Amino acid sequence: MVTLKDVADRAGVSVSTVSLVINGREAGRVKPAVGRRVRQAAEELGYAPNLQARSLRTRQTNTIGLISDMVASTPFAGRMLAGAQDAAWQAGYLLLLIDTGGHAEMEQSAVQTLAQRNVDALIYASMYHREIELPEIPQGLPLVVLDGRPTGEPPLVDWVVPDERGGARAAVEFLIRAGHTRIGFCTVEENVPAARERLAAYRETLQEHGLAYDPALVSRGATGDAHSGLRTARELLDRDDRPTALFCYNDRVAMGAYRAARHLGLSVPDDVSLVGFDDQEHVADALEPGLTTVALPHYDMGAWAVRRTLTRIGTEEAAGKHLHMPCRLVTRDSVTVPRRAA
């Protein structure tokens, strides 16, 4: 193993000088030319700092623990991990991941395992936006909840979720601007934040544009999959006064709406325009025609969660920052003007 002394001998300087340069503390103490010589020597010799020894000195391990319920095993939400990992790597931190597979009984053990490895902070990541009962977290360990909100009265923590209302508002306004005045909503019965807030935004946006909210144009399915979408969309489209456009709870529900339209002999978008939510890879972009949808900001939320932990680690700033991350509208070919307005 290459040591500080080996680097010092190669660069022709003292071990203390090498230590200052390697640990980024040479400003005002080491001449720039000497610092460059030390870094070149370290690179040539393949010197790797002893992180364990450094952590004993600084009381930091430059690691962030991430507990996920099923994020790592679900490609749909995987970009949260990509965003978190990229942000951690750029800051010189390592991400330690434990995926519990959705088993709540594993969470406390996962927290203890990461705490025993002296992580500098914790991120709790949820596969979808939901209310979370947090496991017990060691006092003083910074925590950020990713894609979820703590229930009850938990310790003060930071959290980031998608701006469900803003995304739904953008979807409905896009349909209104295209000329649609009779817009149905295919949603789910689940009492989750996404369902509640997207419905609220749908209703508010219609009313703000002078369009009456009609409960008969809201169809609820048991789940958010294509089978449910087929049933809920068919319920709305198989009527004499059918809507000219559908806003769908997610892209899988929209996939079912495509099937419902086809079964009824309707064309997308000529007979019915469709907008989804999620921008799910291999779904929204694979439908024919391509689905206009709202993108969940998974990557940006993951990166924000890491940056927030770094702020907490570096400045001891108080917890309690909450962010609704904007959701971007992705336009494709599933929306056009209604025929009677053409």
Side-chain angles (χ1 to χ4, degrees):
M1 180 180 292
V2 179
T3 65
L4 285 177
K5 188 175 185 308
D6 296 328
V7 177
D9 291 344
R10 170 67 70 93
V13 298
S14 67
V15 171
S16 61
T17 297
V18 173
S19 178
L20 288 172
V21 174
I22 294 299
N23 289 292
R25 296 186 288 114
E26 77 267 31
R29 303 182 183 183
V30 179
K31 293 180 180 179
V34 174
R36 289 193 294 271
R37 196 162 75 240
V38 169
R39 284 188 287 273
Q40 181 179 349
E43 183 177 349
E44 291 172 351
L45 292 172
Y47 172 76
N50 186 325
L51 297 180
Q52 185 175 12
R54 178 182 293 178
S55 69
L56 290 174
R57 294 194 305 272
T58 64
R59 296 188 179 182
Q60 289 187 2
T61 60
N62 279 40
T63 57
I64 297 170
L66 192 151
I67 299 171
S68 79
D69 55 4
M70 287 194 332
V71 176
S73 54
T74 307
F76 170 58
R79 283 188 58 76
M80 284 195 292
L81 298 184
Q85 179 172 283
D86 287 351
W89 188 261
Q90 290 165 11
Y93 274 69
L94 183 67
L95 209 61
L96 297 183
L97 168 68
I98 297 180
D99 192 300
T100 65
H103 301 293
E105 65 274 11
M106 290 180 57
E107 291 179 354
Q108 196 61 56
S109 176
V111 170
Q112 293 172 353
T113 297
L114 292 169
Q116 287 168 356
R117 282 158 177 76
N118 297 318
V119 295
D120 298 327
L122 277 179
I123 295 173
Y124 184 106
S126 172
M127 184 184 71
Y128 65 93
H129 180 186
R130 63 184 178 90
E131 285 137 345
I132 295 167
E133 292 187 13
L134 290 171
E136 187 176 344
I137 306 297
Q139 188 174 4
L141 187 63
L143 171 69
V144 175
V145 179
L146 172 56
D147 205 13
R149 313 180 197 189
T151 59
E153 296 183 7
L156 202 59
V157 298
D158 304 295
W159 49 261
V160 55
V161 295
D163 181 5
E164 308 283 5
R165 288 193 181 223
R169 179 182 298 276
V172 177
E173 285 184 338
F174 187 73
L175 291 170
I176 293 173
R177 288 198 302 271
H180 296 276
T181 58
R182 190 165 175 77
I183 302 168
F185 184 28
C186 296
T187 185
V188 295
E189 295 172 349
E190 292 179 278
N191 185 24
V192 294
R196 295 195 302 266
E197 295 186 15
R198 293 175 196 179
L199 175 60
Y202 161 78
R203 181 172 186 165
E204 291 166 1
T205 306
L206 290 176
Q207 294 172 340
E208 288 169 6
H209 286 79
L211 302 175
Y213 167 72
D214 183 355
L217 292 183
V218 178
S219 182
R220 295 174 173 84
T223 59
D225 59 18
H227 295 293
S228 183
L230 172 61
R231 186 192 67 77
T232 55
R234 182 157 192 155
E235 180 181 294
L236 295 176
L237 296 178
D238 192 16
R239 47 192 288 176
D240 293 337
D241 59 345
R242 63 176 174 81
T244 60
L246 296 179
F247 171 40
C248 298
Y249 172 72
N250 64 26
D251 295 344
R252 288 168 293 151
V253 169
M255 180 189 294
Y258 273 71
R259 294 174 184 170
R262 186 170 64 251
H263 292 174
L264 294 169
L266 301 175
S267 170
V268 177
D270 293 333
D271 297 309
V272 58
S273 290
L274 296 176
V275 177
F277 208 113
D278 292 350
D279 196 27
Q280 185 170 352
E281 189 177 10
H282 307 311
V283 176
D285 56 348
L287 289 167
E288 184 62 39
L291 176 65
T292 292
T293 186
V294 177
L296 283 172
H298 281 143
Y299 183 93
D300 292 338
M301 290 194 302
W304 184 90
V306 165
R307 291 195 297 268
R308 181 59 186 161
T309 65
L310 297 177
T311 298
R312 296 279 312 285
I313 294 167
T315 64
E316 297 184 358
E317 182 179 319
K321 186 168 185 177
H322 308 151
L323 177 66
H324 292 79
M325 185 72 72
C327 299
R328 177 175 56 91
L329 183 72
V330 180
T331 58
R332 295 191 177 94
D333 301 317
S334 62
V335 175
T336 190
V337 296
R339 279 188 168 176
R340 61 174 176 269

